[in-house]
Each structure stands twice: as C-alpha cells, then as structure tokens.
Amino acid sequence: MYDPTVARLTYRALLGRRRALILGALPMLLIVIAVAVRGLAGADDQTAADLLGGLALATMVPIIGVIAGTGAIGPEIDDGSVVYLLSKPIKRPTIIFTKLIVAIAVTMVFSAVPTLIAGFILNGNGQQVAVAYTVAALVASIAYAALFLLLGTVSRHAVVFGLVYALVWEALFGSLVPGARTLSVQQWSLAVAQKVSGGGLVSSDVGLTTATVLLLAVTVLATWFAGQKLRSLTLAGEE
C-alpha cells in the first residue's frame, strides 16, 4: 500500500523551494509571537493555551493541511501529469495511500513540531499545555490531510475551498456557532488534547469517544473516496 517512488515524487513536489517557504511561514510566525509574548508577559498557562488554541490549532494546522493535502495530488491533476503516474503498474489505492502518508508527515512536521516548541517557550509545558496541543495537532493533521487530499482529487479549486473550510468553518463558525463545533476537526482534536492535559485549560464541546470515532471515520472515508475518484479518472483516460 506504500510506494517509495510515488512518495519521493510527492515529497519533492511538496517541499520545493517555493512551497517550503509557504509551509514554513506560519510556524515561524507562531514561534516569533511565542517569544514576544513570553518576553512581554512572562510564563502564563492561560496565555499559552489561548495562543496555541487560537493561532496554532485553529489557524496554522488547517492551513498547512490545505497546502500539504491539496498539494500532494491537486497540481498533478490540474496540469495533466497525473496521467504519467496512472500509466504505471501501481494500484490506485496505493497511490492515494502513499500521498496521504506524505501529506500527513509534512503536515505534522510543519504544525505539531512548531506547536510543541512554542508551547515550551510560552510556559515550559505547564499543566501539559504544550504536549496537549501538540497531540491535538498530530491528530488533526491526519484528518486534515485526508480531507484536503480528497478535495484535491475532486476539485480544481481545492485550495480555495480548503481555505474557506479552514478559515470560515473551522476558525469562525467553529468558534461562534455551538452546533458547528460538533462537525469540526478542531473540536475533535481538542477532545484528545483535553484528555492529555487533564486540566481545565483545554476543553472541547465533543466527547472523547465521539471525537475518536469521527476522526477515524472521516479519515477512512475520505481516503477511500479519493481512491475511487482516482480510479474513475483512470477509466475516463482509458476510454
């Protein structure tokens, strides 16, 4: 289910100079802000939780997920180079699964690692805030990568739709509309973080069991549907 050649090509596409600069911009901004906040306000658990929840998990992680998830396959479909890949004797689910693994890895590195660093800078992991939000970023990276990889296979405007979801649904409606929070990857990952922290600084509107089921369901279904969509592209090309 994992093809090293497809993985190498996908890593090369995602970590090219231009895209790598874009991927690295938000993590660097998070760390710079964390240093400034620590210098100005000192170590404070609540401030650390607010910054990691509001900037890292609610904004940085989904945006990086959009870039990595859609970038893993979207450009190949747009410019037609996917035909070359599909002509190789590689199973379509293998292509999708390999690209998903790469997208997850890139999203984790550019989101979870900076979250951990920023958390330790802000309050030295007081009340497990840094570790809790890092775990949330890791969990969210999996679901976001699967969702946005699917979006990259079904739409030529995947980046636009992905940013609308990340910034409007997750960041805006997910924080203001109670009903929307149940259908939010951010809230599902916060449920896991709440369990890790064990305190009152991290909270979620979704229970841990529900969040775990929804995270697994979204990841599996998005990956399966992306594989089916890629298979239909193959059939269309053969006809």
Side-chain angles (χ1 to χ4, degrees), residues 42-67:
D44 182 77
D45 295 342
Q46 186 62 59
T47 300
D50 291 342
L51 182 60
L52 294 179
L55 179 57
L57 192 62
T59 303
M60 183 184 71
V61 180
I63 289 179
I64 290 176
V66 169
I67 297 171

Side-chain angles (χ1 to χ4, degrees), residues 20-97:
L21 288 174
I22 297 174
L23 284 169
L26 277 176
M28 287 301 300
L29 178 62
L30 173 66
I31 293 174
V32 169
I33 291 176
V35 171
V37 170
R38 177 62 186 266
L40 294 173
D44 182 77
D45 295 342
Q46 186 62 59
T47 300
D50 291 342
L51 182 60
L52 294 179
L55 179 57
L57 192 62
T59 303
M60 183 184 71
V61 180
I63 289 179
I64 290 176
V66 169
I67 297 171
T70 61
I73 195 169
E76 292 176 303
I77 294 178
D78 291 342
D79 62 20
S81 61
V82 72
V83 174
Y84 172 79
L85 183 60
L86 297 178
S87 67
K88 301 300 179 181
I90 306 173
K91 294 181 179 179
R92 306 308 174 248
T94 298
I95 294 174
I96 289 296
F97 184 76

Side-chain angles (χ1 to χ4, degrees), residues 73 77 149-158 225-226 229 233:
I73 195 169
I77 294 178
L149 179 65
L150 169 61
L151 198 56
T153 65
V154 301
S155 173
R156 290 182 176 273
H157 307 288
F225 194 77
K229 176 61 178 177
L233 287 176

Side-chain angles (χ1 to χ4, degrees), residues 103-124:
I104 289 173
V106 170
T107 306
M108 285 181 172
V109 168
F110 282 91
S111 61
V113 174
T115 298
L116 182 64
I117 295 172
F120 273 97
I121 292 172
L122 287 165
N123 75 333

